[in-house]
Amino acid sequence: MTEASWKSEVFQSVVGFLPDWAQGTALGVFVLAVVTPWALKTKRKFVYHRAVRAGRPIPESARFAQGRGADHLGSYAPPPRRDDPAA
């Protein structure tokens, strides 16, 4: 027989403390809290891939793995070198 993790023990004790009518609601809120971020991430990924396939500009809300800090220097970025083949 396997032992339950401490997380499931805490969850069961909290849900078991609630009245019967609130246990279903608490379980639904927990499932909603787990599924909602997954669904939003999947939607953003879908919009990103659709925009890339169609050759359209990618919406700001759908940018995927956009980087941080020095990746977005904007007008402060150094000009591209003339001998750089990627420019």
Side-chain angles (χ1 to χ4, degrees):
M1 194 162 133
T2 62
E3 292 185 23
S5 71
W6 66 272
K7 294 179 217 172
S8 63
E9 290 290 329
V10 169
F11 181 74
Q12 286 179 1
S13 65
V14 168
V15 172
F17 178 73
L18 296 172
D20 290 338
W21 62 269
Q23 288 181 2
T25 305
L27 186 59
V29 167
F30 178 75
V31 168
L32 189 65
V34 170
V35 170
T36 301
W38 173 80
L40 291 174
K41 180 181 173 187
T42 303
K43 181 183 176 217
R44 280 193 305 267
K45 193 184 261 189
F46 177 73
V47 169
Y48 171 80
H49 287 295
R50 179 193 261 175
V52 168
R53 248 185 288 128
R56 290 179 285 157
I58 299 167
E60 186 65 34
S61 63
R63 294 247 160 103
F64 184 72
Q66 59 186 350
R68 299 183 190 272
D71 296 334
H72 302 286
L73 295 174
S75 61
Y76 299 104
R81 296 185 326 208
R82 291 183 183 233
D83 61 335
D84 189 7

